[in-house]
Amino acid sequence: MELKTQVTQKMTLSASMQQCLEILAMDNVELGEYIAEQSMENPIIELSDDGICADHFPAAIHVEREQPEDEEDNGGEIAALERPNSDLYFQLSEYRLLPDERRAAEYIIESLDRRGYFTDGIEESARVLKLGVRLVKTALEVVKQLEPKGIGAADLRECLLIQLEAEHPHEETARRILLKYLDDFSKGRYEKIGRELGKTQEEIFAAGDIIRGLNPKPLGSGKVTARTRYLTADLALVKYGDDYDIVLNQTYLPEIRISRPYVDLLKGDIDERTKDYIRERYEKARWLKSCIEKRQRTLLRITEMIFKRQKEFLINGPSGVRPLTLKEIADELTMNSSTISRAVKGKNIQTRWGIYPLRYFFGGGIQTDEGTVSAAQIRAVIGRMIAKEDKAHPFSDKKIEMLLKERGMSVSRRTVAAYREQMDVPASSVRKAEYLYKKKGETR
């Protein structure tokens, strides 16, 4: 009996801690919805529109020098052009890789096409990187583990197979269709497929529904889901002279209050069963409030440490982003990397340069003649080059490669093209054609 009691207590604690971890991973909108749901289930909880009152001051960061005036006007251009898929780099930072493996994995991410496919080939990439084929293959397998599933596939078939294995590992009929009958399936030849596989039409239709539920373009599906919403900031950087305050956005977070009438009932003459019910709800309400306050403190501490490491961003915008890993922040704050990962997941911060995901500020670096710089820095430099180019004679990717090398940044033409596509900037020929078309329209 004693053993049973101990196990039950451990399970309860585990469930409570799980609630805290889930709250830490929520963004403000999700947390606001969650608080509303909890208030409907728990009569002890009362909500106020005054906002959650934190028992701490906003985190503050001091910057020694002002942002140069000539950088001010470029901020909007950089923010508009900067559209990196930093989520993949962020996920990659959680893997323990050798330096060459990380370099190969980042190269693969840079080389993904708009669909998310890696079509360059392992052998060719190994030659470009001057690394072993086996090492590049290992790096590619790491990339294929990233989300969304299907990233790094060589073609449509592999992309769908990766997703099928992850989401429906025991679905044999769909797997056989993808391996041998993908062309027939796309042309609706279900009778032929069923006959050759020895399956009924119902079984083929069921497998087909699973296949159609997979995403053929992990990076470029353009699908709008039920969770699509306007971009909102969970935090803001507010500038005061040479200082910045990191402020939490409390717009979606009502204050949780404990209902006094229910608590007062505990002092009255009511049956024990009712008292137990009120006590249970009271403890749940207190724990919920505690988890939310802990989330706020943790989020502020992590964000403060991020920008103490990314002060150059506060001065120069995206071009100032430095390489940073989850482990660096975790070690500084004596937290687990998994805690940092949960805390920054889905969180955005409003800056003078625009709204950025917190994960934007994490990622590996690229070695240059002047040391290690982040991919975000190089993309920002490319963005400024394109913004200032002669529109009638725009820079080719090869020209940008040469200009970067003059600045000590040895980046291949292929990488330049990958960064340009990540920023949704068309090739030079398209930019020139668009300019001439616009010019022609203005002279009419």
Side-chain angles (χ1 to χ4, degrees):
M1 184 67 184
E2 191 173 314
L3 175 63
K4 182 178 180 181
T5 302
Q6 291 175 354
V7 171
T8 302
Q9 288 175 345
K10 182 175 180 181
M11 290 177 65
T12 303
L13 177 62
S14 176
S16 299
M17 292 305 298
Q18 185 63 36
Q19 183 186 32
C20 263
L21 292 175
E22 290 174 356
I23 287 173
L24 181 61
M26 294 177 186
D27 63 30
N28 275 5
V29 176
E30 291 169 335
L31 181 55
E33 294 171 352
Y34 182 74
I35 292 172
E37 291 171 2
Q38 292 298 305
S39 71
M40 294 176 66
E41 296 175 5
N42 190 342
I44 300 291
I45 296 175
E46 293 181 350
L47 301 183
S48 166
D49 293 332
D50 295 339
I52 294 174
C53 298
D55 57 354
H56 53 279
F57 293 100
I61 301 171
H62 181 72
V63 181
E64 293 296 334
R65 62 190 180 92
E66 288 288 335
Q67 177 182 339
E69 291 184 6
D70 60 344
E71 294 284 351
E72 182 75 30
D73 293 335
N74 291 334
E77 295 174 344
I78 295 170
L81 288 170
E82 186 69 22
R83 296 290 187 271
N85 191 354
S86 57
D87 182 59
L88 298 179
Y89 293 98
F90 174 78
Q91 294 179 59
L92 188 66
S93 69
E94 298 181 304
Y95 286 81
R96 291 185 177 181
L97 302 175
L98 297 172
D100 283 344
E101 289 175 339
R102 187 170 300 281
R103 182 161 67 92
E106 290 180 349
Y107 175 86
I108 291 168
I109 291 175
E110 293 160 10
S111 302
L112 297 176
D113 64 20
R114 287 180 176 272
R115 301 166 298 177
Y117 296 178
F118 177 63
T119 59
D120 289 357
I122 294 174
E123 290 79 7
E124 180 184 351
S125 299
R127 285 195 298 271
V128 172
L129 294 168
K130 297 180 180 179
L131 296 173
V133 171
R134 181 177 297 179
L135 186 146
V136 176
K137 185 176 181 180
T138 299
L140 179 58
E141 291 307 311
V142 172
V143 172
K144 288 179 181 178
Q145 294 177 40
L146 305 181
E147 296 287 347
K149 284 293 185 287
I151 293 294
D155 52 31
L156 175 63
R157 176 179 282 104
E158 185 183 10
C159 175
L160 298 180
L161 281 168
I162 291 173
Q163 295 175 57
L164 184 69
E165 177 63 28
E167 299 174 17
H168 307 277
H170 305 299
E171 181 48 54
E172 184 62 22
T173 301
R175 190 181 72 83
R176 292 175 67 185
I177 292 174
L178 291 176
L179 284 172
K180 192 174 180 181
Y181 299 99
L182 184 56
D183 183 60
D184 289 324
F185 177 77
S186 65
K187 295 176 181 177
R189 298 169 182 166
Y190 304 133
E191 187 176 345
K192 174 189 173 183
I193 297 172
R195 184 172 62 252
E196 295 192 11
L197 290 180
K199 302 291 182 180
T200 65
Q201 289 293 291
E202 288 76 13
E203 290 173 317
I204 297 301
F205 288 151
D209 287 340
I210 292 174
I211 293 173
R212 279 187 287 271
L214 305 177
N215 189 352
K217 299 177 182 179
L219 281 189
S221 65
K223 291 182 178 179
V224 178
T225 68
R227 298 201 62 78
T228 299
R229 56 164 66 99
Y230 291 108
L231 185 64
T232 58
D234 301 84
L235 306 105
L237 278 169
V238 182
K239 192 172 188 296
Y240 298 101
D242 288 346
D243 295 325
Y244 281 86
D245 279 349
I246 300 171
V247 182
L248 288 164
N249 177 8
Q250 309 284 41
T251 304
Y252 298 95
L253 305 181
E255 181 185 2
I256 294 177
R257 294 176 178 173
I258 305 298
S259 175
R260 294 310 309 176
Y262 274 97
V263 175
D264 290 342
L265 284 176
L266 292 173
K267 304 173 184 177
D269 185 19
I270 58 175
D271 62 87
E272 199 61 34
R273 183 177 179 181
T274 303
K275 281 187 177 182
D276 288 342
Y277 173 84
I278 294 175
R279 286 195 194 99
E280 180 189 358
R281 294 300 186 273
Y282 174 71
E283 289 302 324
K284 285 186 175 181
R286 283 186 59 192
W287 181 255
L288 174 63
K289 189 172 182 178
S290 172
C291 287
I292 294 171
E293 290 173 352
K294 184 176 180 180
R295 170 198 184 265
Q296 308 299 65
R297 290 193 298 270
T298 302
L299 192 53
L300 276 177
R301 287 184 66 202
I302 292 172
T303 306
E304 179 184 13
M305 189 54 60
I306 289 173
F307 287 100
K308 282 184 176 179
R309 297 296 189 94
Q310 299 287 10
K311 283 188 177 181
E312 287 297 315
F313 173 86
L314 304 178
I315 299 168
N316 299 315
S319 64
V321 176
R322 298 289 182 259
L324 182 65
T325 64
L326 292 172
K327 189 176 184 304
E328 290 179 70
I329 300 297
D331 289 346
E332 192 72 29
L333 297 176
T334 61
M335 295 181 180
N336 292 326
S337 293
S338 60
T339 301
I340 308 298
S341 176
R342 284 191 181 93
V344 302
K345 176 187 176 184
K347 312 299 192 303
N348 299 303
I349 186 164
Q350 174 73 56
T351 75
R352 65 189 302 176
W353 308 97
I355 297 178
Y356 289 87
L358 282 183
R359 65 183 58 187
Y360 173 84
F361 301 97
F362 291 91
I366 294 176
Q367 197 65 34
T368 71
D369 296 345
E370 298 179 357
T372 304
V373 299
S374 69
Q377 287 176 277
I378 297 177
R379 282 192 293 264
V381 173
I382 293 173
R384 284 202 299 271
M385 287 180 179
I386 293 174
K388 296 179 179 180
E389 69 186 357
D390 179 356
K391 304 305 180 186
H393 302 90
F395 295 139
S396 65
D397 294 338
K398 187 66 179 177
K399 179 63 175 178
I400 293 175
E401 176 192 1
M402 293 171 60
L403 292 173
L404 287 173
K405 284 183 178 178
E406 290 176 4
R407 298 188 180 200
M409 300 178 180
S410 298
V411 180
S412 69
R413 181 198 60 77
R414 189 187 302 275
T415 301
V416 170
Y419 285 166
R420 175 178 51 73
E421 290 178 359
Q422 288 171 10
M423 296 186 290
D424 288 330
V425 176
S428 57
S429 58
V430 177
R431 300 202 302 275
K432 181 177 180 179
E434 289 176 346
Y435 170 77
L436 294 176
Y437 180 81
K438 183 178 179 181
K439 187 86 171 174
K440 185 177 180 181
E442 291 173 351
T443 58
R444 287 179 179 175

